[in-house]
Amino acid sequence: MMINSKKILGICVSNRKNGNSSIILNELLRPARKAGHEIEILNLGALNILPCKGCFACSNSHNCVLIDDLNMVKEKIEMADAIALASPCYYLSAPSTLKAIMDRSASWAISKTANSSKKKYGAAVSVAGGAPIEFSLQRIFTSLFLGLYNCEITGQLTIGHAFNKGEVLLAPSKLKLVSELGENLCRSIEEDCCIKSAMNECEDKLVCPHCLSDVFQIYQDGRLICPVCGGELKHTNENDTTVGFNRFSAPGALEHNAHIVNNVIGGMLAGDEISQRLETYWKSGVLPKEDYQIDLDLTGVKDSLNWDNEALDALKATIPPAFEEIIKKVITKKALQNGETRINKETALRYLPKF
C-alpha cells in the first residue's frame, strides 16, 4: 500500500453480475489500483435496500427505522475519501435503489455536510442502451448522489448504445475515457483539490460547472437554474459559470435544515387543526371550506414559561441539538395557547413533534 493512500469506495448500482456497469467501474478504478490506493467495491444490486416509507423519524435521529443494509452503506460512504460510481440507465435515469438510499439517508448526509470541513471527491460513469435522449435524466441522479454525500464531482460520463451484457467492450475508446476520469479522480484526492474533467458526451449540451448535471430549469425571467445543486448558470462567451446557492455546501445544508425545521414548526403549531381536518375529511370525504394560515410568530416566547429538568431531558433525548432551541419555543407557544403555566415532562412530550 502506498504512503498516504486514500480509501476509494467503488459503487456498482447494477444487479447484473459482471455486466457493463462492473466493467466500467473496473476501468474507473484502474488508475487508483495502479497508484496503490485502498479500494472497496459495493454492489448495490446484491443488497437489501427498502424504499422510504415517509415517516420522517430520521429528521430527529438521522437514523432510518427500517432494518436492512442501509446502515452498512452509510458507514462505507462515511469512511471513504472518494466515491467512484458506476450506474446503468433504466427508464431515462438511474435505478430506484440509488434514489431509495438518498431518500432514507438524506437527513444524516445533510447533517454531515453542515458539520464537516472536509470534502470527498467523486466521479460517475453511466451506461445506457440508447442515444442521449433515452438517458436524459441519468446525470441528475448520479450528480445528486455524489453531491449529497459531500463529494466534489470531478467528472461525469454516460456511454450510450450499450444495451446487452458486455456490449460496452465493443467501444474500448469509450472505456479509455473512463480510465481518464479515474486518473482525474486520483489526482484530485492526492492533491486534495477538485480537478474537474472537461469531458462531456455531448459537446453541444450545457453542463452545470459545479455538479456536472446537464438538466436546467428555465425561469420566466430567463434564468437557468440547476435543479441538482441549485446554482444559476451564467453563460458567457468564454465559459459557463454557476453562481449563488449551492445545495452541497455547508451553508446550503444549513439552509435545507432550516427549511425542514420551519415545516416541523408549522406542523406543530397547526397540529390540532390538522388533526381535526384529517378526521373530518376521512369521515365525510368533504374538503375544508377555508384555508388555514399558520401563525409562525415566536417573538418573545423563549422565556415565557419555566421548564423543569425532566422536560428539558425529554427534549434533548428527542430533538437534534441544532433544533432544540427553536422546538423549545414552539412547545412553549403551544403550552401558552392552551393555558399551561409551566412545562413538565408530560407537557413537553405532549407537544413534541410526532412523525
Side-chain angles (χ1 to χ4, degrees):
M1 185 179 295
M2 67 178 287
I3 299 175
N4 295 325
S5 69
K6 302 293 184 179
K7 293 183 178 180
I8 303 178
L9 178 64
I11 299 179
C12 181
V13 186
S14 176
N15 195 28
R16 181 188 276 172
K17 186 177 181 181
N18 295 331
N20 291 322
S21 295
S22 296
I23 294 167
I24 284 171
L25 184 60
N26 193 52
E27 294 306 310
L28 186 58
L29 291 171
R30 186 184 292 274
R33 285 198 179 95
K34 185 177 180 180
H37 293 295
E38 182 179 344
I39 307 292
E40 183 171 7
I41 304 296
L42 190 61
N43 289 294
L44 298 188
L47 304 181
N48 177 30
I49 303 293
L50 298 169
C52 176
K53 67 176 190 174
C55 68
F56 292 102
C58 61
S59 294
N60 281 344
S61 64
H62 299 318
N63 290 314
C64 183
V65 298
L66 300 176
I67 306 301
D68 59 4
D69 292 321
L70 180 68
N71 281 339
M72 180 268 287
V73 174
K74 288 165 57 179
E75 288 172 6
K76 292 187 182 300
I77 287 174
E78 185 172 14
M79 294 293 291
D81 295 302
I83 297 175
L85 182 70
S87 171
C89 174
Y90 286 173
Y91 184 65
L92 303 185
S93 64
S96 57
T97 303
L98 207 64
K99 186 65 164 62
I101 291 172
M102 290 189 281
D103 289 341
R104 291 177 50 206
S105 64
S107 176
W108 167 81
I110 291 168
S111 176
K112 289 285 182 184
T113 300
N115 295 287
S116 176
S117 58
K118 177 176 173 55
K119 296 289 290 186
K120 301 178 187 294
Y121 300 97
V125 179
S126 302
V127 61
I133 192 64
E134 301 298 338
F135 53 82
S136 55
L137 303 179
Q138 181 71 15
R139 286 169 68 133
I140 288 180
F141 292 98
T142 48
S143 283
L144 191 59
F145 187 89
L146 293 175
L148 177 62
Y149 300 114
N150 209 19
C151 290
E152 291 191 18
I153 304 172
T154 63
Q156 272 234 60
L157 179 67
T158 304
I159 300 175
H161 303 292
F163 180 85
N164 299 290
K165 182 177 180 179
E167 190 170 356
V168 73
L169 289 171
L170 297 179
S173 61
K174 298 289 186 181
L175 293 175
K176 288 178 181 178
L177 295 179
V178 175
S179 290
E180 288 179 20
L181 284 181
E183 291 172 2
N184 214 57
L185 181 62
C186 270
R187 285 184 57 208
S188 294
I189 59 175
E190 289 166 1
E191 299 178 23
D192 197 16
C193 175
C194 184
I195 303 170
K196 288 192 179 292
S197 170
M199 195 179 299
N200 187 6
E201 62 259 15
C202 180
E203 296 299 332
D204 294 331
K205 188 185 295 184
L206 291 175
V207 173
C208 175
H210 180 259
C211 72
L212 305 186
S213 172
D214 59 356
V215 175
F216 296 91
Q217 294 175 334
I218 305 174
Y219 283 64
Q220 290 185 356
D221 60 5
R223 286 178 297 147
L224 292 176
I225 304 296
C226 174
V228 177
C229 69
E232 179 183 356
L233 182 70
K234 297 268 187 168
H235 191 44
T236 67
N237 291 330
E238 296 179 358
N239 53 25
D240 300 314
T241 59
T242 42
V243 297
F245 179 73
N246 175 7
R247 193 185 318 280
F248 304 127
S249 65
L254 290 171
E255 184 171 328
H256 185 94
N257 278 338
H259 171 73
I260 297 299
V261 171
N262 283 335
N263 287 336
V264 171
I265 291 171
M268 291 175 68
L269 293 176
D272 295 338
E273 184 70 21
I274 292 172
S275 297
Q276 181 182 349
R277 291 189 179 208
L278 270 173
E279 184 178 359
T280 302
Y281 177 78
W282 287 115
K283 278 185 177 180
S284 66
V286 178
L287 286 173
K289 293 181 179 179
E290 298 178 350
D291 290 351
Y292 180 84
Q293 298 299 321
I294 301 174
D295 177 15
L296 293 172
D297 185 13
L298 299 174
T299 305
V301 169
K302 182 177 180 181
D303 299 317
S304 302
L305 294 177
N306 289 324
W307 285 57
D308 66 26
N309 290 333
E310 287 190 340
L312 291 172
D313 290 341
L315 179 71
K316 293 184 180 197
T318 311
I319 303 297
F323 301 161
E324 283 179 14
E325 283 303 313
I326 192 70
I327 298 300
K328 184 179 178 183
K329 289 182 181 181
V330 177
I331 293 173
T332 302
K333 179 166 183 172
K334 289 282 291 182
L336 286 168
Q337 289 173 340
N338 289 293
E340 309 274 1
T341 57
R342 60 188 296 273
I343 298 179
N344 55 27
K345 180 179 179 180
E346 180 183 356
T347 306
L349 291 174
R350 188 187 316 138
Y351 296 129
L352 276 171
K354 298 176 179 62
F355 300 105

